[in-house]
PDB file of all heavy atoms in Angstrom:
ATOM      1  N   ILE O  14     124.110  85.930  73.148  1.00 96.00           N
ATOM      2  CA  ILE O  14     124.996  87.094  73.148  1.00 96.00           C
ATOM      3  C   ILE O  14     126.293  86.727  72.435  1.00 96.00           C
ATOM      4  O   ILE O  14     126.932  85.735  72.775  1.00 96.00           O
ATOM      5  CB  ILE O  14     125.301  87.558  74.586  1.00 96.00           C
ATOM      6  CG1 ILE O  14     124.010  88.032  75.258  1.00 96.00           C
ATOM      7  CG2 ILE O  14     126.360  88.649  74.594  1.00 96.00           C
ATOM      8  CD1 ILE O  14     124.169  88.383  76.724  1.00 96.00           C
ATOM      9  N   ASP O  59     125.944  96.130  72.289  1.00 97.00           N
ATOM     10  CA  ASP O  59     127.060  95.755  73.146  1.00 97.00           C
ATOM     11  C   ASP O  59     126.530  94.957  74.342  1.00 97.00           C
ATOM     12  O   ASP O  59     125.561  95.370  74.975  1.00 97.00           O
ATOM     13  CB  ASP O  59     127.753  97.031  73.627  1.00 97.00           C
ATOM     14  CG  ASP O  59     129.051  96.781  74.357  1.00 97.00           C
ATOM     15  OD1 ASP O  59     129.213  95.710  74.982  1.00 97.00           O
ATOM     16  OD2 ASP O  59     129.912  97.673  74.314  1.00 97.00           O
ATOM     17  N   ALA O  60     127.169  93.853  74.659  1.00 96.00           N
ATOM     18  CA  ALA O  60     126.771  93.025  75.803  1.00 96.00           C
ATOM     19  C   ALA O  60     126.888  93.779  77.122  1.00 96.00           C
ATOM     20  O   ALA O  60     126.264  93.413  78.109  1.00 96.00           O
ATOM     21  CB  ALA O  60     127.626  91.763  75.857  1.00 96.00           C
ATOM     22  N   GLN O  61     127.673  94.843  77.129  1.00 96.00           N
ATOM     23  CA  GLN O  61     127.861  95.633  78.349  1.00 96.00           C
ATOM     24  C   GLN O  61     126.739  96.649  78.543  1.00 96.00           C
ATOM     25  O   GLN O  61     126.709  97.355  79.558  1.00 96.00           O
ATOM     26  CB  GLN O  61     129.220  96.346  78.292  1.00 96.00           C
ATOM     27  CG  GLN O  61     130.367  95.344  78.241  1.00 96.00           C
ATOM     28  CD  GLN O  61     131.656  95.973  77.782  1.00 96.00           C
ATOM     29  OE1 GLN O  61     132.628  95.966  78.521  1.00 96.00           O
ATOM     30  NE2 GLN O  61     131.676  96.512  76.577  1.00 96.00           N
ATOM     31  N   ARG O  62     125.824  96.696  77.560  1.00 97.00           N
ATOM     32  CA  ARG O  62     124.685  97.619  77.646  1.00 97.00           C
ATOM     33  C   ARG O  62     123.528  97.021  76.823  1.00 97.00           C
ATOM     34  O   ARG O  62     123.238  97.474  75.714  1.00 97.00           O
ATOM     35  CB  ARG O  62     125.082  98.992  77.125  1.00 97.00           C
ATOM     36  CG  ARG O  62     124.082 100.058  77.433  1.00 97.00           C
ATOM     37  CD  ARG O  62     124.599 101.420  76.977  1.00 97.00           C
ATOM     38  NE  ARG O  62     123.592 102.416  77.232  1.00 97.00           N
ATOM     39  CZ  ARG O  62     123.660 103.294  78.207  1.00 97.00           C
ATOM     40  NH1 ARG O  62     124.692 103.316  79.006  1.00 97.00           N
ATOM     41  NH2 ARG O  62     122.704 104.174  78.376  1.00 97.00           N
ATOM     42  N   LEU O  63     122.904  96.002  77.390  1.00 97.00           N
ATOM     43  CA  LEU O  63     121.844  95.292  76.677  1.00 97.00           C
ATOM     44  C   LEU O  63     120.593  96.157  76.534  1.00 97.00           C
ATOM     45  O   LEU O  63     120.165  96.786  77.502  1.00 97.00           O
ATOM     46  CB  LEU O  63     121.498  93.989  77.392  1.00 97.00           C
ATOM     47  CG  LEU O  63     122.610  92.949  77.455  1.00 97.00           C
ATOM     48  CD1 LEU O  63     122.156  91.722  78.247  1.00 97.00           C
ATOM     49  CD2 LEU O  63     123.055  92.540  76.062  1.00 97.00           C
ATOM     50  N   PRO O  64     119.999  96.175  75.341  1.00 97.00           N
ATOM     51  CA  PRO O  64     118.830  97.025  75.085  1.00 97.00           C
ATOM     52  C   PRO O  64     117.500  96.319  75.360  1.00 97.00           C
ATOM     53  O   PRO O  64     116.541  96.463  74.601  1.00 97.00           O
ATOM     54  CB  PRO O  64     118.982  97.331  73.589  1.00 97.00           C
ATOM     55  CG  PRO O  64     119.568  96.079  73.034  1.00 97.00           C
ATOM     56  CD  PRO O  64     120.521  95.588  74.109  1.00 97.00           C
ATOM     57  N   PHE O  65     117.429  95.554  76.440  1.00 97.00           N
ATOM     58  CA  PHE O  65     116.218  94.795  76.734  1.00 97.00           C
ATOM     59  C   PHE O  65     115.668  95.156  78.109  1.00 97.00           C
ATOM     60  O   PHE O  65     116.414  95.557  78.998  1.00 97.00           O
ATOM     61  CB  PHE O  65     116.511  93.287  76.695  1.00 97.00           C
ATOM     62  CG  PHE O  65     117.147  92.843  75.412  1.00 97.00           C
ATOM     63  CD1 PHE O  65     118.475  92.427  75.386  1.00 97.00           C
ATOM     64  CD2 PHE O  65     116.441  92.849  74.228  1.00 97.00           C
ATOM     65  CE1 PHE O  65     119.078  92.021  74.206  1.00 97.00           C
ATOM     66  CE2 PHE O  65     117.029  92.449  73.038  1.00 97.00           C
ATOM     67  CZ  PHE O  65     118.344  92.034  73.031  1.00 97.00           C
ATOM     68  N   PRO O  85     133.800  93.127  81.574  1.00 85.00           N
ATOM     69  CA  PRO O  85     132.991  91.905  81.628  1.00 85.00           C
ATOM     70  C   PRO O  85     132.025  91.874  82.811  1.00 85.00           C
ATOM     71  O   PRO O  85     130.942  91.306  82.714  1.00 85.00           O
ATOM     72  CB  PRO O  85     134.026  90.787  81.714  1.00 85.00           C
ATOM     73  CG  PRO O  85     135.272  91.448  82.187  1.00 85.00           C
ATOM     74  CD  PRO O  85     135.218  92.858  81.688  1.00 85.00           C
ATOM     75  N   GLN O  86     132.407  92.528  83.918  1.00 82.00           N
ATOM     76  CA  GLN O  86     131.509  92.588  85.073  1.00 82.00           C
ATOM     77  C   GLN O  86     130.197  93.273  84.710  1.00 82.00           C
ATOM     78  O   GLN O  86     129.129  92.872  85.153  1.00 82.00           O
ATOM     79  CB  GLN O  86     132.154  93.331  86.254  1.00 82.00           C
ATOM     80  CG  GLN O  86     133.418  92.704  86.760  1.00 82.00           C
ATOM     81  CD  GLN O  86     134.671  93.249  86.091  1.00 82.00           C
ATOM     82  OE1 GLN O  86     134.661  93.693  84.949  1.00 82.00           O
ATOM     83  NE2 GLN O  86     135.787  93.182  86.798  1.00 82.00           N
ATOM     84  N   ARG O  87     130.294  94.320  83.918  1.00 88.00           N
ATOM     85  CA  ARG O  87     129.108  95.058  83.477  1.00 88.00           C
ATOM     86  C   ARG O  87     128.206  94.152  82.627  1.00 88.00           C
ATOM     87  O   ARG O  87     126.991  94.167  82.761  1.00 88.00           O
ATOM     88  CB  ARG O  87     129.528  96.304  82.692  1.00 88.00           C
ATOM     89  CG  ARG O  87     128.404  97.087  82.110  1.00 88.00           C
ATOM     90  CD  ARG O  87     127.643  97.844  83.173  1.00 88.00           C
ATOM     91  NE  ARG O  87     126.543  98.536  82.522  1.00 88.00           N
ATOM     92  CZ  ARG O  87     125.452  98.901  83.137  1.00 88.00           C
ATOM     93  NH1 ARG O  87     125.319  98.687  84.427  1.00 88.00           N
ATOM     94  NH2 ARG O  87     124.492  99.502  82.492  1.00 88.00           N
ATOM     95  N   ALA O  88     128.815  93.358  81.752  1.00 91.00           N
ATOM     96  CA  ALA O  88     128.039  92.442  80.913  1.00 91.00           C
ATOM     97  C   ALA O  88     127.307  91.411  81.771  1.00 91.00           C
ATOM     98  O   ALA O  88     126.134  91.112  81.522  1.00 91.00           O
ATOM     99  CB  ALA O  88     128.950  91.754  79.903  1.00 91.00           C
ATOM    100  N   VAL O  89     127.979  90.888  82.778  1.00 87.00           N
ATOM    101  CA  VAL O  89     127.349  89.908  83.667  1.00 87.00           C
ATOM    102  C   VAL O  89     126.170  90.546  84.394  1.00 87.00           C
ATOM    103  O   VAL O  89     125.097  89.934  84.532  1.00 87.00           O
ATOM    104  CB  VAL O  89     128.382  89.335  84.658  1.00 87.00           C
ATOM    105  CG1 VAL O  89     127.703  88.520  85.746  1.00 87.00           C
ATOM    106  CG2 VAL O  89     129.407  88.501  83.917  1.00 87.00           C
ATOM    107  N   THR O  90     126.329  91.776  84.835  1.00 87.00           N
ATOM    108  CA  THR O  90     125.226  92.490  85.492  1.00 87.00           C
ATOM    109  C   THR O  90     124.056  92.685  84.528  1.00 87.00           C
ATOM    110  O   THR O  90     122.896  92.511  84.901  1.00 87.00           O
ATOM    111  CB  THR O  90     125.714  93.864  86.017  1.00 87.00           C
ATOM    112  OG1 THR O  90     126.765  93.643  86.949  1.00 87.00           O
ATOM    113  CG2 THR O  90     124.597  94.632  86.682  1.00 87.00           C
ATOM    114  N   GLU O  91     124.351  93.024  83.285  1.00 93.00           N
ATOM    115  CA  GLU O  91     123.316  93.194  82.268  1.00 93.00           C
ATOM    116  C   GLU O  91     122.590  91.879  81.988  1.00 93.00           C
ATOM    117  O   GLU O  91     121.367  91.855  81.854  1.00 93.00           O
ATOM    118  CB  GLU O  91     123.927  93.734  80.972  1.00 93.00           C
ATOM    119  CG  GLU O  91     124.387  95.170  81.061  1.00 93.00           C
ATOM    120  CD  GLU O  91     123.224  96.156  81.047  1.00 93.00           C
ATOM    121  OE1 GLU O  91     122.378  96.071  80.136  1.00 93.00           O
ATOM    122  OE2 GLU O  91     123.167  96.998  81.953  1.00 93.00           O
ATOM    123  N   ILE O  92     123.348  90.805  81.899  1.00 92.00           N
ATOM    124  CA  ILE O  92     122.740  89.491  81.675  1.00 92.00           C
ATOM    125  C   ILE O  92     121.797  89.162  82.824  1.00 92.00           C
ATOM    126  O   ILE O  92     120.657  88.736  82.608  1.00 92.00           O
ATOM    127  CB  ILE O  92     123.831  88.406  81.541  1.00 92.00           C
ATOM    128  CG1 ILE O  92     124.600  88.593  80.234  1.00 92.00           C
ATOM    129  CG2 ILE O  92     123.227  87.004  81.622  1.00 92.00           C
ATOM    130  CD1 ILE O  92     125.863  87.760  80.134  1.00 92.00           C
ATOM    131  N   TYR O  93     122.262  89.343  84.029  1.00 88.00           N
ATOM    132  CA  TYR O  93     121.452  89.074  85.222  1.00 88.00           C
ATOM    133  C   TYR O  93     120.157  89.882  85.185  1.00 88.00           C
ATOM    134  O   TYR O  93     119.084  89.374  85.474  1.00 88.00           O
ATOM    135  CB  TYR O  93     122.268  89.399  86.474  1.00 88.00           C
ATOM    136  CG  TYR O  93     121.556  89.117  87.765  1.00 88.00           C
ATOM    137  CD1 TYR O  93     121.347  87.813  88.195  1.00 88.00           C
ATOM    138  CD2 TYR O  93     121.101  90.158  88.563  1.00 88.00           C
ATOM    139  CE1 TYR O  93     120.703  87.549  89.384  1.00 88.00           C
ATOM    140  CE2 TYR O  93     120.454  89.901  89.759  1.00 88.00           C
ATOM    141  CZ  TYR O  93     120.249  88.593  90.168  1.00 88.00           C
ATOM    142  OH  TYR O  93     119.603  88.344  91.338  1.00 88.00           O
ATOM    143  N   GLY O  94     120.239  91.139  84.790  1.00 91.00           N
ATOM    144  CA  GLY O  94     119.054  91.994  84.730  1.00 91.00           C
ATOM    145  C   GLY O  94     118.065  91.582  83.651  1.00 91.00           C
ATOM    146  O   GLY O  94     116.856  91.748  83.813  1.00 91.00           O
ATOM    147  N   SER O  95     118.558  91.022  82.555  1.00 94.00           N
ATOM    148  CA  SER O  95     117.666  90.636  81.461  1.00 94.00           C
ATOM    149  C   SER O  95     117.055  89.254  81.668  1.00 94.00           C
ATOM    150  O   SER O  95     116.159  88.840  80.951  1.00 94.00           O
ATOM    151  CB  SER O  95     118.418  90.663  80.129  1.00 94.00           C
ATOM    152  OG  SER O  95     119.357  89.617  80.069  1.00 94.00           O
ATOM    153  N   LEU O  96     117.524  88.551  82.687  1.00 90.00           N
ATOM    154  CA  LEU O  96     117.115  87.175  82.935  1.00 90.00           C
ATOM    155  C   LEU O  96     115.879  87.113  83.829  1.00 90.00           C
ATOM    156  O   LEU O  96     115.794  87.800  84.845  1.00 90.00           O
ATOM    157  CB  LEU O  96     118.274  86.442  83.605  1.00 90.00           C
ATOM    158  CG  LEU O  96     118.269  84.932  83.634  1.00 90.00           C
ATOM    159  CD1 LEU O  96     118.299  84.368  82.217  1.00 90.00           C
ATOM    160  CD2 LEU O  96     119.477  84.440  84.419  1.00 90.00           C
TER     161      LEU O  96
END
Side-chain angles (χ1 to χ4, degrees):
I14 296 174
D59 189 331
Q61 298 163 119
R62 192 176 177 105
L63 296 178
F65 306 110
Q86 300 91 332
R87 176 73 182 156
V89 169
T90 300
E91 290 285 308
I92 291 168
Y93 182 72
S95 70
L96 196 62

